[in-house]
Amino acid sequence: MTIQTSLQLFTIKEQLEADLEGTLSAVAARGFTAVEPYDFVRRAEPLAAALSAAGLTAPSGHAFLASESFVNPDGSGTTIPVPTPDVVFAAAKALGMDTVIDPYTEPARWESVAQIEETARLLNAAAEIGASVGVRVGYHNHAHELEAVFDGVTGLEVLAGLLDERVVLEVDLYWVARGGVDPVALLQRLGDRVIAVHAKDGTLDPALAGAYPPADQVAAGEGSVPLVEAIAAAPAVELAIVEFDHYEGDLFDAIERSRVFLDEKVAG
């Protein structure tokens, strides 16, 4: 299967808010042909126009499907309700997107199997709606889904076992490693369920990785996360997605170095 390299646009969120068209053109100039939008429902029309102008596609995107309101990874949040799945999928279709991935559920929802069952129920219900309009549903992890363990099984794997076969996974390899789990072994266990990875790298230096946002992230291939080996362990991967939560240096240079590494090592 051909693996396409993409860019999670959250990486450049400030630049996008300042100049949507110019920033996407800059992404294309760095050699990308695909991106993964976030928060795309509110700006589907201008985003679709800007993507088209830049020659970019959006095969996947992030939108909440199992949460009623947005909660930041640092625990802060807002009372603004998220759009319903049918609204999300209509925006996805307008963008030519065939996979919508839930990007985050808070750690407090991973303290019991019953809570995970509820998250699975919501994702399965969304997948039923998505299937009717030709949109696939997925889930994206952070570290806490791996740190939660039930009878020796990680929370993410408990979730995978409860999901409708139509629900896929997008595994963030950096966060798996941060959660203390071997990304290669995890992807071997998850098998065909994984259709995308966030090929995010870092030194995993505890003094830097423990910050929020993490301060240890580096260009793909320059850190300690076994990206190439993990991707090779996932037989159904379609997308290898570049992402940074934080980067101190030249961000666009690091994005391009990541793409070059992935194109050379795993794409095609």
Side-chain angles (χ1 to χ4, degrees), residues 5 8 12 22 36-37 40 45 68 71 96 134 138 146 150 152 180-181 188 193 202 211 227 242 247 265:
T5 304
Q8 167 52 244
I12 49 172
E36 183 174 70
F40 58 82
E45 193 171 313
E68 294 182 350
V71 181
L146 288 309
F150 304 90
V181 173
Q188 288 172 336
R193 180 77 71 171
L227 301 178
V242 174
Y247 187 73
K265 299 296 185 181

Side-chain angles (χ1 to χ4, degrees), residues 96-112:
M97 188 182 295
D98 59 26
T99 305
V100 174
I101 298 162
D102 190 302
Y104 182 80
T105 53
E106 60 184 318
R109 291 175 58 179
W110 292 82
E111 295 171 354
S112 70

